[in-house]
Each structure stands twice: as C-alpha cells, then as structure tokens.
Amino acid sequence: MAGPTGGLEVGAEVEVDVTAFAHGGHAIARHEGQVLFVRHTLPGERVRAVVTSSGAGERFVRADAVEVVTAAPERVEPPCPWAGPGRCGGCDLQHVSLEGQRALKAGVVREQLSRLAHLEVDVEVEPVPGDDAGLDWRTRVEFAVDAGGRAGLRRHRSHDVVPVDHCRIAAPGVDRLRVTERTWPGLDAVDAVAPAEAEPVAVRVPDDGPGPVVHERVTASWPGSDGSTTSFERTFAVDARGFWQVHPGAAGTFLATVMAEVDARPGERALDLYCGVGLFASALAEAVGPTGQVVAVESDAAATEHARANLADQPQVAVVTARVDDAFGVPRPARKGPGRRGARPHRTARSPLLPPSADVVVLDPPRTGAGRGICAEVTRLRPRVVVYVACDPAALARDTALLAEGGYRLDALRAFDAFPMTHHVECVATFLPDPDGR
C-alpha cells in the first residue's frame, strides 16, 4: 500500500533486509528507496515489517518487525512476555543478547561522534558492576494508570496503558510494592521507588502534598595520579520523584570514573554544573579540601534544597539554584509560538557566585545536552580538565564539536550499559586543552 506521495502507508507489510542500528533504538531498512526505522529487529536480519507511522512527507516510516525471516546470531528469546510489537514500549532490545546490545550501543556512540564531531573514536560499552543478566535493576519505575485505575506501562509512542503483571527490569523492591496488582482510581501515574537505604515507596501522581524523601548511599573508590586510592562513602537525601540514577550500581560507577579523570587537587576551584543533589560536588569538595572551592549549579529548587542539606558539612561548596545558562548569563532561545514573532531571547545577568576561572569543570546535562552558549562559557573558564557525563550520544557529539571550537579536545571516553534491555547508554568524556587549539 502506497501513501499520497508514493511511499508506504500505515498498515503496509513489507519484507526487508536490516542493515544498521540507529540512535534511538531503531534498526534501519529500505524498501524501494524509502527508509524504514524498524523496532524489534537488529542488523543482519531479514524481517516482515508492518508500518506503524510515517514521517514528514513520507520520506521515512516507522515499523515493527512482526516476523523474523532470517535471524541474526545475537537474537535471543525476550525474557519479558510484554516486550514486542504492540506491547510495552519500555524495553527495545530484549530480543538481543547482552553482548549484542552493548555492541549496538557502542556502534551508535562511534557513529554519532563520527557524524557530528568528525572524530573516529574506538569505544566499548562496559557493564555496570552488579548487573549479570540485565534484569531486576531499575530502582525507579513510573507506572501509568488508565481510566479504570489499572496500573501498567505505556505502549511505544502511545498513551495506551499495557496492564503488565510486573516489570522484568524492575528491582525487587519495586516488585514488592505490587503496583500492578492494585487499583489507583483518579491517578495519572504511580512512581515506584526502591531506595538503597529504606523501604520502597509508591508515590501517587498527582499528589497535593510534598514528595517523600528517600536516602541513597554511594560507595566508590578511584586511583589518583600519585598512586594513591581515594575511598568515598556518603548518603544523599533526594526527593522520591527527583533525579537519581536508576541502576543501583550507576552512581558509584560514574562517580569513580569522573573523579579519576578530574584528579582534583587540594586548593583547586571546581564547578559542578547540573549538580542534582550534590553527588559530584561532595566528592569534589573532599578532593579540593577546605582551601579549595566548589560551585554547584542546579535549576531544580527541590534538588538544590537537598544538595545544601547533603553538603552542609562541606562549607567550601556554594550551591546555586539557577538554570546553568541563566547562571552564566547565556541568552535562552526565544520561544516560538503564536504572537511571539520578533521575540527577543531571554537573558539574565551572570551570577556573581560563578568564578571567572576554574581548574575543574564537571557537567551532567539533560538529554538535550549543554549547547553552544554553555560550552563556550565552560571553555572561557580555561579549566585544566572538563569531564562530561552524557546520557545521549548525539548531544555529547554535538557538544564535543562545540568544546573543540573553544580549544578543548576529547582525550578519553568510557561508555556504560546503565540501562540494559534498552537503547540508552551513558558516557563519561574527558576534555583537555588542545595545544593546537585556540
């Protein structure tokens, strides 16, 4: 079946060869010159695919692989019966072995850096400690609630709720709440949270009251350039619905990786941008000591309130509640929409708490990345090292190119499988001043 412009229309079935894996969890195939982004398959397979939606001008279509004609060696039986076409949209790689998943993710990281930053970087995706099978790890799960009060998980690109029995990647503490076995009339969602140091909690959404506070304990160790080993152990208060790494081994792994790369020294000045509740800021404060300084910036007011409490015994830390672009005085793009033609970008004055220079910068931006203005401000500080924690390879690649414009080269890159069974991958990138840059 062809659409108005001659391409495939929704519902069409075609048999295609899958050639590559794309950023976002889709594999790529072509039919009569038209690109298909196909879920539930992997490169090297021949599948029968059903078109589920079309793109602008039908230049591409999205599809589900509903039958495998020729399977790739990495294909396995999905451990979850709710994974597959028309079912839960949370896991998009359950049909691939763990080794195969990590190889696909590494390929995406390499491809994005090559395409957007013009760098050829060899990288492997490492497992996060404590994860053997890729299941039972997710400590925070948001269950959607349908009109009848039943909790479940959403279909891919849909508001429909799939009434699953339980989530196979959820941590045991989440399962103990038995959210899907209860009814939740009048709610939009239920957030199930299994913190490290407390009983699991179910948070009703919406809820007029303040969210409960949970506590997460982090232990980590890392080598220093002088041959010593630093050990870290600390408990952090965080809002149950606030940001925290969902894999129980992720926070410690990322902290150890970041701190080994920055190798912060006594008396230095460090910036922790997008600081959350203060994980990196706390370790940086220990490293720079009472004669050093750490400035931590975070836009979420609840998170910075917790950060100030978490870091109260470290007076060398200043916590700033502000968007990072606002703190630097970087103009926000003008909002688009009716009546906004000619609107000027929003701009605030640079925060007086941000120093004119820094020795170390750590940034952990949201999925959209830091962007041109913030990357430019970071490089103007002329730090001796920048460490960037990225949850999106494309955003990392774009910002890598922007940091290069400011005279900083990519020196090291590690990638971690902090979200098994999904296409998501976390990267920690280290940037140093480029002697050949400006």
Side-chain angles (χ1 to χ4, degrees):
M1 293 184 290
T5 59
L8 295 168
E9 66 179 19
V10 174
E13 295 188 12
V14 290
E15 193 168 297
V16 292
D17 292 313
V18 180
T19 58
F21 189 72
H23 176 50
H26 300 83
I28 298 175
R30 284 176 172 79
H31 177 76
E32 297 182 356
Q34 189 172 35
V35 175
L36 287 79
F37 293 113
V38 191
R39 283 170 54 83
H40 314 296
T41 184
L42 64 161
E45 294 192 326
R46 185 170 181 83
V47 299
R48 186 167 61 87
V50 175
V51 176
T52 57
S53 65
S54 61
E58 294 187 346
R59 290 175 299 173
F60 67 88
V61 297
R62 296 183 177 89
D64 283 342
V66 296
E67 180 184 342
V68 179
V69 179
T70 304
E74 299 84 5
R75 176 171 284 275
V76 297
E77 185 68 24
C80 177
W82 304 103
R87 301 172 191 165
C88 170
C91 293
D92 38 28
L93 291 180
Q94 292 230 4
H95 61 286
V96 188
S97 68
L98 277 179
E99 295 77 9
Q101 292 178 33
R102 291 165 186 156
L104 291 176
K105 296 178 190 185
V108 168
V109 174
R110 288 193 295 268
E111 190 271 337
Q112 294 298 312
L113 284 167
S114 176
R115 185 171 65 88
L116 299 174
H118 308 295
L119 294 176
E120 302 304 320
V121 180
D122 189 22
V123 64
E124 294 184 4
V125 174
E126 307 170 40
V128 172
D131 185 11
D132 298 324
L135 305 174
D136 303 322
W137 54 267
R138 192 175 182 101
T139 59
R140 284 164 165 75
V141 179
E142 181 172 277
F143 292 93
V145 178
D146 65 16
R150 296 180 307 169
L153 297 169
R154 296 208 184 272
R155 300 185 199 279
H156 180 63
R157 296 176 60 86
S158 170
H159 292 292
D160 295 342
V161 177
V162 180
V164 304
D165 52 357
H166 73 95
C167 175
R168 269 53 175 187
I169 64 171
V174 170
D175 286 338
R176 288 204 303 272
L177 292 169
R178 302 189 180 280
V179 172
T180 60
E181 298 177 18
R182 302 155 62 182
T183 56
W184 307 88
L187 297 186
D188 295 330
V190 177
D191 276 2
V193 181
E197 292 208 331
E199 287 299 307
V201 295
V203 184
R204 302 163 66 89
V205 182
D207 191 337
D208 294 333
V213 176
V214 298
H215 293 86
E216 301 284 0
R217 191 161 192 81
V218 178
T219 59
S221 62
W222 54 88
S225 58
D226 60 358
S228 64
T229 298
T230 298
S231 296
F232 178 93
E233 184 171 4
R234 197 174 184 91
T235 298
F236 294 85
V238 58
D239 189 286
R241 297 199 71 216
F243 175 77
W244 188 259
Q245 292 292 341
V246 295
H247 194 296
T253 298
F254 300 158
L255 180 65
T257 304
V258 167
M259 294 304 295
E261 290 295 319
V262 300
D263 194 26
R265 303 155 192 172
E268 287 193 316
R269 177 184 288 158
L271 263 64
D272 180 9
L273 305 178
Y274 314 92
C275 72
V277 298
L279 173 64
F280 297 130
S282 179
L284 288 168
E286 288 191 6
V288 302
T291 62
Q293 180 188 24
V294 178
V295 179
V297 185
E298 169 60 50
S299 63
D300 186 88
T304 52
E305 182 180 345
H306 289 307
R308 290 188 181 94
N310 292 331
L311 309 176
D313 63 331
Q314 296 174 302
Q316 65 270 48
V317 183
V319 179
V320 179
T321 304
R323 285 175 47 129
V324 173
D325 49 3
D326 287 349
F328 276 116
V330 172
R332 299 186 203 173
R335 293 184 179 180
K336 298 179 180 180
R340 294 187 178 272
R341 176 176 288 184
R344 294 181 178 179
H346 172 82
R347 183 167 192 161
T348 60
R350 193 179 197 274
S351 170
L353 293 176
L354 284 188
S357 64
D359 301 292
V360 170
V361 176
V362 174
L363 64 162
D364 185 3
R367 195 167 299 281
T368 52
R372 177 172 294 277
I374 293 169
C375 286
E377 292 296 328
V378 166
T379 59
R380 286 192 188 104
L381 296 170
R382 306 316 297 171
R384 63 171 179 80
V385 61
V386 177
V387 178
Y388 186 128
V389 183
C391 58
D392 184 272
L396 172 63
R398 289 192 295 268
D399 287 344
T400 295
L402 294 172
L403 290 169
E405 291 180 10
Y408 280 74
R409 61 177 174 81
L410 179 64
D411 181 71
L413 176 67
R414 293 180 69 183
F416 297 95
D417 193 14
F419 309 92
M421 304 294 169
T422 79
H423 71 272
H424 298 291
V425 60
E426 199 90 6
C427 295
V428 179
T430 303
F431 297 86
L432 299 178
D434 188 347
D436 298 323
R438 66 180 180 87

